[in-house]
Amino acid sequence: MAKYERQYYNKGDQISRNRQRILDPKTKLEKLRTIPDEGFLSILGHRNFGEAYKAVHPPLSELGEPDDPMRDLVPPTEGAKAGDKMDTLVMTDSVYDAPIAVYLRAWLLHNRARGLDTGCYSGRNTVEMRARDLEDIGRLLLETEVCDVRRNHLRQMTCTGHSCRLDQDGLMFDAVRRTKMEGTDVVYVKSGFGISLDKPVNIGKGVSDEELKKRSSIYRYDNIPNLLLEDVIDPKPDEEVSETTQWGRRIMRQRLYGNLNPELIKNDAYENLEQLELKPRY
Amino acid sequence: MAYLTEKIDLYNDRGQVLESGIPLEAVTPVQNPAVREIADTFKRSIAINLAGAQKALSTGHYANEYIHLPDIPNKADLPIKSGPYGKPKAVRTRTWDVPLVDNADKLAAKLKDKLQVDAGDGTIVNIMKKGAMFYVKPSEKLCTSGIEYTGALTATAQAMTDLVMEEFDDILDFHAAPLVHAAFYGRYPSTYEFMGGNVISLLAASCANEGPGFSLRNLMINHIVAITQRRTMESMALSSTLEAISHLEMGDAIGRWRRWQSLVYAYQGLNANNLVYDLVKECGSGTTGDVVGALVGRALDDKVIKVLKTLPSGFKFYTALDPSLWNAYACAGTSAAVIVNQGAARAAQGAGSTVLYFNDMLDHETGLPSAGYGDAVGNGIALSFFSHSIYGGGSPGVFHGNHIVTRHSKGFLIPALTAAVALDAGTAVYGPEATSGLVGDIFGEIDLIRKPMESIAKSAAGIKNKF
């Protein structure tokens, strides 16, 4: 049979299509900026420019791996080969029209990266990987279209701010004030850990607010064009979107009935409970 | 009980067929002789750290900090070993230089005599590491006459205490008896476990179990990895076998759940129909997301699921034709995803994350419930929290099925974690080498549990015509 093509996400409206685009690894994410190595490493805050990677164990070639067919089938990443230590990167996303949202990051990473450990918690997404793999992924997260410099920030600590009101210039709130606006550009004056940088890092200009609304992957009342008051009171989302957002309920229903009796989810049998030959009140 | 007659093929970890046309019934713990023998081995295997006991008696350093006098004036001057934070953990009490290791041959012979019920009843006392260790398997009658599993440990510890008191009565007097007891039993009976004892069982004291049937789940993942010498699928098979036996013991594999649990065991643990191997082979250089695609494709090919309806843009909802088998596929996919993702990093710590997001993506890809019908998602998120940062308990290697986080999984989580720990190249502080070197040395010698896939397949083939 033909190889199964993953569907990732429905394509009902613009926001769904944005999500689909982010998740599908076959879509190449548009590169918006290039951050110089020195600046990138200084905001990441793990190693200085030119410094060697720290290792947690000797390189795999010296270590010698045990005889195991699974190890032959799964090649290690570059970082794993060199025995790099595990490093962390934490990203925070504003709820105001950011091009990516926290939970979507975990899906993006699991679809696009190898050898990672990620988790979402309270408005932030943490990624832990071998140091040099993390730097590659960090570039993907900071330089491509999934990062708008005003709404997506690298914050290794004190991540609070994703749901706070934006500054007047559209910058996301930061209790440590790592970033500031210089004209239209965003400048990191502190590293992710909140340590002042000798050389502030200019990571460029954010996209306009209108463009941001188009790129957004977050459903909000105020990013749907020509929205009328009655639509807010009685929303009429795209049919396909409303159907697929019932996923959650459908899955929960199947978990419930499946854990009661696996046969109840066979061919969605639970939909017609009365037709099943069940005891009364089952 | 009706027999589970559907046929599966069992493959090894190189993707070669071991036995084909095996009825599912033949691999279940109630029928398979090798599985029962594995349970018996875990129940009856005891290690005695003779050198450890000798050191305890000669230094006064019993059971880590058994003899502990908090404040004495000249504490710093005493020739004693320091504990953490520079505080002495033991105080020089009466000490005896008892040559236990030098007399290992004599002690082994007399120990065997004490633990043997009938001549030639399979009692084993093996001397290991030049007399520093004994591997002991007491008589079956002795261990199974009661109804609990602790008999092997208590009988051996008591036999050693008595034996040392008898053999070295020229050195040890009447008052030494409690300290010899502590040298072998550890802190018991001050603690309910045999904490710091030099008679070691793989199974914890029964009162340390979370609930009924947890005895074989109360085994650290590091131990399993050390026993199977870091061979990924063999360690997964051993871990899955222990889970399968436990689930039987917990009452989880009865009635409509018998087939459900047996399928999880066969597909995830024993690589039935080469599912896990095929998925890893297909997606080895890929990501967790690739395993989701490969698994759904395989399930469609094998007619486990089918399309329920298609939305205008082509988005499809699926429904399960065989919900129990779909669950087994999802469990096998979880393991394959962990092998692919954690194998790439050669680091175990992301196993919780992979379990969570693999199953979450599988849910949303198909509209069907994932492994354990939702358990895997809950287990994954709890494990991510409990194995990291402020909630931290340690790396996945120190977890076991008896843990508050993992106990809810119906047999599929611990094998996946075991695979991750087996693939770790040394990023964990408490890795198998740190916690389980001794266990690996002793139990890695036993072919039956070092290569469970082969032994279980072979004995399943032996009984396949019965069903």
Side-chain angles (χ1 to χ4, degrees):
Chain A
M1 268 175 106
K3 196 169 177 287
Y4 175 78
E5 287 288 328
R6 278 196 67 190
Q7 38 188 5
Y8 298 102
Y9 218 85
N10 74 77
K11 300 186 186 93
D13 61 6
Q14 183 59 37
I15 291 171
S16 305
R17 283 192 289 276
N18 287 347
R19 291 183 178 187
Q20 155 87 26
R21 206 181 132 67
I22 289 169
L23 295 178
D24 189 349
K26 288 199 280 296
T27 324
K28 198 166 179 339
L29 295 173
E30 187 191 341
K31 190 163 179 178
L32 299 181
R33 62 191 77 85
T34 303
I35 307 171
D37 282 353
E38 192 175 357
F40 176 74
L41 291 177
S42 65
I43 59 173
L44 199 59
H46 288 306
R47 81 181 168 105
N48 297 321
F49 181 56
E51 188 185 338
Y53 290 97
K54 293 184 186 75
V56 65
H57 59 74
L60 290 183
S61 53
E62 288 175 28
L63 202 62
E65 293 207 272
D67 173 34
D68 179 6
M70 289 296 118
R71 284 178 167 80
D72 304 336
L73 293 180
V74 183
T77 60
E78 289 305 313
K81 270 184 207 161
D84 288 355
K85 78 179 177 79
M86 307 293 287
D87 272 349
T88 310
L89 181 154
V90 185
M91 296 290 293
T92 306
D93 307 306
S94 173
V95 297
Y96 295 99
D97 303 332
I100 189 166
V102 171
Y103 201 76
L104 212 51
R105 280 185 186 278
W107 281 21
L108 168 139
L109 290 162
H110 272 290
N111 282 325
R112 288 179 186 265
R114 299 181 71 230
L116 77 147
D117 175 14
T118 183
C120 302
Y121 176 63
S122 183
R124 73 203 66 167
N125 172 252
T126 309
V127 196
E128 293 188 14
M129 292 172 90
R130 300 278 192 167
R132 65 193 81 191
D133 306 332
L134 187 79
E135 286 174 14
D136 292 347
I137 284 298
R139 287 203 173 271
L140 175 101
L141 296 177
L142 282 170
E143 292 182 346
T144 62
E145 59 180 291
V146 295
C147 178
D148 174 58
V149 289
R150 293 182 300 166
R151 308 293 162 84
N152 304 95
H153 283 175
L154 187 150
R155 295 179 181 179
Q156 302 283 41
M157 47 159 266
T158 320
C159 310
T160 323
H162 78 294
S163 61
C164 296
R165 199 168 52 183
L166 298 174
D167 288 352
Q168 278 179 331
D169 44 20
L171 197 66
M172 179 169 45
F173 172 80
D174 184 359
V176 188
R177 297 229 154 238
R178 275 163 279 225
T179 42
K180 66 172 187 186
M181 295 290 279
E182 273 183 8
T184 53
D185 289 4
V186 173
V187 178
Y188 275 77
V189 291
K190 291 180 183 173
S191 76
F193 293 100
I195 299 160
S196 296
L197 297 175
D198 298 339
K199 291 183 204 160
V201 183
N202 184 331
I203 65 163
K205 182 161 133 302
V207 292
S208 67
D209 287 356
E210 293 71 39
E211 181 67 18
L212 214 49
K213 281 192 196 303
K214 273 190 226 158
R215 288 171 184 248
S216 174
S217 61
I218 302 171
Y219 284 101
R220 292 180 61 89
Y221 283 131
D222 55 6
N223 66 6
I224 298 166
N226 310 321
L227 188 78
L228 301 171
L229 183 62
E230 49 261 39
D231 290 341
V232 178
I233 296 161
D234 180 21
K236 296 180 195 63
D238 181 276
E239 196 190 329
E240 185 160 337
V241 173
S242 75
E243 185 110 23
T244 41
T245 43
Q246 296 302 314
W247 265 346
R249 288 184 189 173
R250 180 188 147 85
I251 294 164
M252 287 310 283
R253 233 178 356 252
Q254 297 219 10
R255 287 175 184 173
L256 174 73
Y257 287 116
N259 272 319
L260 190 62
N261 179 352
E263 290 307 304
L264 283 179
I265 57 172
K266 183 175 179 174
N267 259 326
D268 285 24
Y270 61 91
E271 296 283 7
N272 307 305
L273 274 181
E274 66 280 1
Q275 289 175 17
L276 295 172
E277 288 179 10
L278 298 171
K279 287 179 191 152
R281 295 206 215 140
Y282 180 35
Chain B
M1 291 184 198
Y3 289 146
L4 305 169
T5 49
E6 62 194 278
K7 297 282 193 290
I8 50 170
D9 300 335
L10 297 175
Y11 288 73
N12 67 5
D13 61 355
R14 296 190 188 280
Q16 296 150 342
V17 67
L18 288 169
E19 302 291 344
S20 53
I22 303 285
L24 187 57
E25 183 77 25
V27 298
T28 55
V30 276
Q31 303 283 8
N32 192 295
V35 177
R36 293 161 73 91
E37 207 180 325
I38 288 174
D40 184 63
T41 308
F42 276 88
K43 190 168 150 188
R44 280 169 60 204
S45 289
I46 302 291
I48 303 177
N49 186 354
L50 214 56
Q54 182 174 332
K55 196 176 163 203
L57 289 166
S58 67
T59 58
H61 186 79
Y62 295 96
N64 298 340
E65 48 185 3
Y66 180 62
I67 308 273
H68 180 69
L69 301 179
D71 271 301
I72 49 169
N74 59 342
K75 196 155 77 168
D77 306 329
L78 290 170
I80 48 181
K81 211 177 163 186
S82 289
Y85 318 113
K87 289 179 188 163
K89 285 171 80 181
V91 168
R92 195 177 267 280
T93 166
R94 284 187 71 196
T95 57
W96 303 269
D97 286 323
V98 189
L100 295 180
V101 178
D102 292 345
N103 291 294
D105 294 338
K106 198 164 79 177
L107 288 174
K110 296 207 168 178
L111 181 65
K112 187 170 180 186
D113 188 47
K114 278 187 190 291
L115 294 175
Q116 185 168 281
V117 178
D118 304 319
D121 63 356
T123 306
I124 297 172
V125 178
N126 285 344
I127 302 170
M128 305 179 79
K129 296 198 166 188
K130 296 176 187 161
M133 300 286 304
F134 285 168
Y135 168 72
V136 182
K137 212 170 167 187
S139 152
E140 196 178 348
K141 272 190 184 167
L142 192 65
C143 297
T144 54
S145 297
I147 51 169
E148 222 222 301
Y149 63 80
T150 336
L153 187 139
T154 46
T156 312
Q158 194 57 48
M160 276 313 290
T161 309
D162 284 1
L163 186 60
V164 170
M165 288 302 290
E166 283 163 24
E167 277 301 301
F168 302 98
D169 57 353
D170 51 334
I171 308 174
L172 302 164
D173 58 16
F174 172 81
H175 299 289
L179 292 170
V180 176
H181 184 280
F184 288 105
Y185 269 101
R187 290 190 224 177
Y188 175 82
S190 293
T191 57
Y192 63 88
E193 288 172 281
F194 305 94
M195 205 181 271
N198 284 310
V199 177
I200 306 151
S201 164
L202 279 172
L203 307 177
S206 55
C207 38
N209 293 339
E210 286 255 346
F214 274 80
S215 42
L216 281 174
R217 301 187 80 186
N218 199 355
L219 195 71
M220 211 196 286
I221 289 173
N222 279 345
H223 286 351
I224 297 171
V225 172
I227 290 169
T228 47
Q229 296 169 354
R230 284 190 174 275
R231 191 134 170 168
T232 312
M233 282 185 77
E234 296 287 7
S235 59
M236 219 160 72
L238 181 59
S239 167
S240 196
T241 305
L242 300 180
E243 289 277 312
I245 304 167
S246 298
H247 280 283
L248 189 78
E249 228 176 338
M250 289 159 68
D252 275 342
I254 286 295
R256 63 177 73 118
W257 301 105
R258 205 162 87 86
R259 175 167 179 266
W260 200 84
Q261 287 287 0
S262 307
L263 285 169
V264 173
Y265 174 43
Y267 278 84
Q268 188 188 23
L270 301 179
N271 192 22
N273 298 347
N274 217 11
L275 182 57
V276 177
Y277 183 90
D278 282 348
L279 291 173
V280 175
K281 192 176 178 187
E282 188 177 337
C283 312
S285 310
T287 61
T288 312
D290 294 339
V291 185
V292 175
L295 180 72
V296 178
R298 175 80 182 245
L300 279 169
D301 288 354
D302 295 354
K303 300 197 170 43
V304 182
I305 59 174
K306 68 162 191 183
V307 178
L308 181 69
K309 72 175 171 189
T310 309
L311 299 180
S313 70
F315 194 86
K316 295 184 179 73
F317 282 119
Y318 294 88
T319 186
L321 293 170
D322 186 346
S324 301
L325 191 55
W326 164 249
N327 177 66
Y329 270 55
C331 295
T334 305
S335 281
V338 168
I339 293 173
V340 166
N341 195 25
Q342 269 48 64
R346 296 287 196 271
Q349 67 170 68
S353 173
T354 312
V355 171
L356 165 59
Y357 292 107
F358 170 80
N359 284 289
D360 191 37
M361 289 198 287
L362 190 64
D363 274 347
H364 289 81
E365 182 75 22
T366 57
L368 282 165
S370 54
Y373 300 153
D375 285 355
V377 181
N379 288 150
I381 201 161
L383 186 75
S384 291
F385 270 65
F386 275 70
S387 58
H388 288 72
S389 71
I390 55 171
Y391 306 92
S395 56
V398 298
F399 277 76
H400 42 67
N402 191 45
H403 191 274
I404 189 74
V405 166
T406 54
R407 61 178 293 191
H408 306 285
S409 86
K410 299 287 180 217
F412 56 81
L413 181 69
I414 296 294
L417 295 188
T418 312
V421 176
L423 288 161
D424 191 295
T427 61
V429 177
Y430 297 106
E433 288 79 10
T435 63
S436 320
L438 203 62
V439 174
D441 288 349
I442 294 173
F443 295 95
E445 300 286 314
I446 308 167
D447 274 354
L448 173 75
I449 56 176
R450 195 183 69 245
K451 290 183 171 173
M453 291 171 96
E454 283 75 5
S455 27
I456 291 166
K458 200 173 163 195
S459 76
I463 56 168
K464 73 176 180 183
N465 294 328
K466 278 166 70 180
F467 313 110

mmCIF file of all heavy atoms in Angstrom, chain B residues 256-272:
data_model
loop_
_atom_site.group_PDB
_atom_site.id
_atom_site.type_symbol
_atom_site.label_atom_id
_atom_site.label_comp_id
_atom_site.label_asym_id
_atom_site.label_seq_id
_atom_site.Cartn_x
_atom_site.Cartn_y
_atom_site.Cartn_z
ATOM 1 N N ARG B 256 -12.447 -9.302 29.880
ATOM 2 C CA ARG B 256 -12.242 -8.606 28.625
ATOM 3 C C ARG B 256 -10.865 -7.968 28.538
ATOM 4 O O ARG B 256 -10.417 -7.591 27.476
ATOM 5 C CB ARG B 256 -13.314 -7.537 28.425
ATOM 6 C CG ARG B 256 -13.282 -6.444 29.472
ATOM 7 C CD ARG B 256 -14.307 -5.374 29.191
ATOM 8 N NE ARG B 256 -15.637 -5.832 29.461
ATOM 9 C CZ ARG B 256 -16.453 -5.294 30.372
ATOM 10 N NH1 ARG B 256 -16.065 -4.266 31.088
ATOM 11 N NH2 ARG B 256 -17.651 -5.760 30.562
ATOM 12 N N TRP B 257 -10.166 -7.832 29.684
ATOM 13 C CA TRP B 257 -8.834 -7.204 29.674
ATOM 14 C C TRP B 257 -7.722 -8.220 29.459
ATOM 15 O O TRP B 257 -6.565 -7.842 29.338
ATOM 16 C CB TRP B 257 -8.609 -6.443 30.988
ATOM 17 C CG TRP B 257 -9.650 -5.402 31.165
ATOM 18 C CD1 TRP B 257 -10.708 -5.447 32.019
ATOM 19 C CD2 TRP B 257 -9.791 -4.197 30.413
ATOM 20 N NE1 TRP B 257 -11.484 -4.335 31.861
ATOM 21 C CE2 TRP B 257 -10.942 -3.553 30.885
ATOM 22 C CE3 TRP B 257 -9.059 -3.604 29.398
ATOM 23 C CZ2 TRP B 257 -11.383 -2.339 30.365
ATOM 24 C CZ3 TRP B 257 -9.483 -2.399 28.881
ATOM 25 C CH2 TRP B 257 -10.642 -1.787 29.370
ATOM 26 N N ARG B 258 -8.074 -9.503 29.410
ATOM 27 C CA ARG B 258 -7.030 -10.524 29.260
ATOM 28 C C ARG B 258 -6.378 -10.390 27.895
ATOM 29 O O ARG B 258 -5.164 -10.335 27.762
ATOM 30 C CB ARG B 258 -7.636 -11.914 29.432
ATOM 31 C CG ARG B 258 -6.666 -12.957 29.877
ATOM 32 C CD ARG B 258 -7.412 -14.134 30.439
ATOM 33 N NE ARG B 258 -7.770 -15.081 29.392
ATOM 34 C CZ ARG B 258 -6.946 -16.033 28.975
ATOM 35 N NH1 ARG B 258 -5.758 -16.150 29.499
ATOM 36 N NH2 ARG B 258 -7.319 -16.860 28.034
ATOM 37 N N ARG B 259 -7.196 -10.287 26.874
ATOM 38 C CA ARG B 259 -6.649 -10.159 25.527
ATOM 39 C C ARG B 259 -5.940 -8.805 25.373
ATOM 40 O O ARG B 259 -4.878 -8.719 24.770
ATOM 41 C CB ARG B 259 -7.793 -10.292 24.511
ATOM 42 C CG ARG B 259 -7.339 -10.057 23.105
ATOM 43 C CD ARG B 259 -8.377 -10.504 22.079
ATOM 44 N NE ARG B 259 -7.882 -10.231 20.754
ATOM 45 C CZ ARG B 259 -8.135 -9.134 20.058
ATOM 46 N NH1 ARG B 259 -8.897 -8.194 20.577
ATOM 47 N NH2 ARG B 259 -7.631 -8.944 18.872
ATOM 48 N N TRP B 260 -6.553 -7.797 25.955
ATOM 49 C CA TRP B 260 -5.999 -6.439 25.879
ATOM 50 C C TRP B 260 -4.585 -6.409 26.433
ATOM 51 O O TRP B 260 -3.653 -5.927 25.796
ATOM 52 C CB TRP B 260 -6.923 -5.542 26.703
ATOM 53 C CG TRP B 260 -6.892 -4.079 26.461
ATOM 54 C CD1 TRP B 260 -7.565 -3.398 25.511
ATOM 55 C CD2 TRP B 260 -6.189 -3.103 27.231
ATOM 56 N NE1 TRP B 260 -7.326 -2.049 25.641
ATOM 57 C CE2 TRP B 260 -6.493 -1.845 26.680
ATOM 58 C CE3 TRP B 260 -5.338 -3.161 28.331
ATOM 59 C CZ2 TRP B 260 -5.976 -0.655 27.186
ATOM 60 C CZ3 TRP B 260 -4.824 -1.982 28.841
ATOM 61 C CH2 TRP B 260 -5.142 -0.748 28.272
ATOM 62 N N GLN B 261 -4.407 -6.947 27.646
ATOM 63 C CA GLN B 261 -3.087 -6.942 28.281
ATOM 64 C C GLN B 261 -2.113 -7.852 27.540
ATOM 65 O O GLN B 261 -0.939 -7.517 27.379
ATOM 66 C CB GLN B 261 -3.193 -7.409 29.745
ATOM 67 C CG GLN B 261 -3.810 -6.414 30.687
ATOM 68 C CD GLN B 261 -2.882 -5.250 30.982
ATOM 69 O OE1 GLN B 261 -1.769 -5.186 30.483
ATOM 70 N NE2 GLN B 261 -3.346 -4.297 31.757
ATOM 71 N N SER B 262 -2.609 -9.009 27.091
ATOM 72 C CA SER B 262 -1.715 -9.956 26.410
ATOM 73 C C SER B 262 -1.197 -9.359 25.112
ATOM 74 O O SER B 262 -0.030 -9.560 24.742
ATOM 75 C CB SER B 262 -2.444 -11.259 26.107
ATOM 76 O OG SER B 262 -3.024 -11.743 27.276
ATOM 77 N N LEU B 263 -2.054 -8.610 24.413
ATOM 78 C CA LEU B 263 -1.619 -7.980 23.168
ATOM 79 C C LEU B 263 -0.554 -6.920 23.435
ATOM 80 O O LEU B 263 0.432 -6.820 22.700
ATOM 81 C CB LEU B 263 -2.813 -7.355 22.439
ATOM 82 C CG LEU B 263 -3.750 -8.327 21.736
ATOM 83 C CD1 LEU B 263 -5.013 -7.624 21.282
ATOM 84 C CD2 LEU B 263 -3.060 -8.970 20.546
ATOM 85 N N VAL B 264 -0.740 -6.124 24.497
ATOM 86 C CA VAL B 264 0.269 -5.120 24.847
ATOM 87 C C VAL B 264 1.606 -5.807 25.096
ATOM 88 O O VAL B 264 2.658 -5.402 24.586
ATOM 89 C CB VAL B 264 -0.146 -4.315 26.096
ATOM 90 C CG1 VAL B 264 0.984 -3.408 26.549
ATOM 91 C CG2 VAL B 264 -1.388 -3.499 25.821
ATOM 92 N N TYR B 265 1.556 -6.887 25.860
ATOM 93 C CA TYR B 265 2.783 -7.620 26.194
ATOM 94 C C TYR B 265 3.449 -8.172 24.937
ATOM 95 O O TYR B 265 4.655 -7.993 24.718
ATOM 96 C CB TYR B 265 2.425 -8.730 27.184
ATOM 97 C CG TYR B 265 3.562 -9.660 27.515
ATOM 98 C CD1 TYR B 265 4.836 -9.159 27.765
ATOM 99 C CD2 TYR B 265 3.364 -11.029 27.598
ATOM 100 C CE1 TYR B 265 5.876 -10.009 28.076
ATOM 101 C CE2 TYR B 265 4.393 -11.880 27.912
ATOM 102 C CZ TYR B 265 5.650 -11.362 28.145
ATOM 103 O OH TYR B 265 6.682 -12.198 28.444
ATOM 104 N N ALA B 266 2.642 -8.785 24.086
ATOM 105 C CA ALA B 266 3.217 -9.418 22.893
ATOM 106 C C ALA B 266 3.788 -8.385 21.931
ATOM 107 O O ALA B 266 4.913 -8.513 21.450
ATOM 108 C CB ALA B 266 2.157 -10.268 22.196
ATOM 109 N N TYR B 267 3.018 -7.333 21.652
ATOM 110 C CA TYR B 267 3.450 -6.385 20.614
ATOM 111 C C TYR B 267 4.534 -5.443 21.103
ATOM 112 O O TYR B 267 5.475 -5.130 20.388
ATOM 113 C CB TYR B 267 2.248 -5.590 20.079
ATOM 114 C CG TYR B 267 1.486 -6.367 19.048
ATOM 115 C CD1 TYR B 267 0.516 -7.286 19.412
ATOM 116 C CD2 TYR B 267 1.762 -6.218 17.695
ATOM 117 C CE1 TYR B 267 -0.168 -8.029 18.478
ATOM 118 C CE2 TYR B 267 1.088 -6.958 16.743
ATOM 119 C CZ TYR B 267 0.118 -7.859 17.136
ATOM 120 O OH TYR B 267 -0.536 -8.593 16.205
ATOM 121 N N GLN B 268 4.391 -4.964 22.332
ATOM 122 C CA GLN B 268 5.389 -4.013 22.806
ATOM 123 C C GLN B 268 6.622 -4.717 23.367
ATOM 124 O O GLN B 268 7.749 -4.338 23.064
ATOM 125 C CB GLN B 268 4.790 -3.110 23.885
ATOM 126 C CG GLN B 268 5.715 -1.987 24.272
ATOM 127 C CD GLN B 268 5.214 -1.223 25.463
ATOM 128 O OE1 GLN B 268 4.434 -1.723 26.263
ATOM 129 N NE2 GLN B 268 5.660 0.006 25.597
ATOM 130 N N GLY B 269 6.384 -5.744 24.161
ATOM 131 C CA GLY B 269 7.507 -6.381 24.841
ATOM 132 C C GLY B 269 8.230 -7.402 23.985
ATOM 133 O O GLY B 269 9.447 -7.453 23.961
ATOM 134 N N LEU B 270 7.458 -8.232 23.273
ATOM 135 C CA LEU B 270 8.078 -9.366 22.582
ATOM 136 C C LEU B 270 8.222 -9.131 21.078
ATOM 137 O O LEU B 270 8.520 -10.055 20.339
ATOM 138 C CB LEU B 270 7.267 -10.637 22.841
ATOM 139 C CG LEU B 270 7.115 -11.022 24.315
ATOM 140 C CD1 LEU B 270 6.265 -12.274 24.445
ATOM 141 C CD2 LEU B 270 8.467 -11.261 24.955
ATOM 142 N N ASN B 271 8.030 -7.905 20.633
ATOM 143 C CA ASN B 271 8.221 -7.572 19.216
ATOM 144 C C ASN B 271 7.396 -8.489 18.305
ATOM 145 O O ASN B 271 7.892 -8.979 17.287
ATOM 146 C CB ASN B 271 9.712 -7.662 18.873
ATOM 147 C CG ASN B 271 10.045 -7.055 17.537
ATOM 148 O OD1 ASN B 271 9.298 -6.221 17.032
ATOM 149 N ND2 ASN B 271 11.146 -7.467 16.955
ATOM 150 N N ALA B 272 6.142 -8.728 18.681
ATOM 151 C CA ALA B 272 5.289 -9.590 17.869
ATOM 152 C C ALA B 272 5.098 -8.977 16.488
ATOM 153 O O ALA B 272 4.973 -7.756 16.351
ATOM 154 C CB ALA B 272 3.931 -9.773 18.546
#
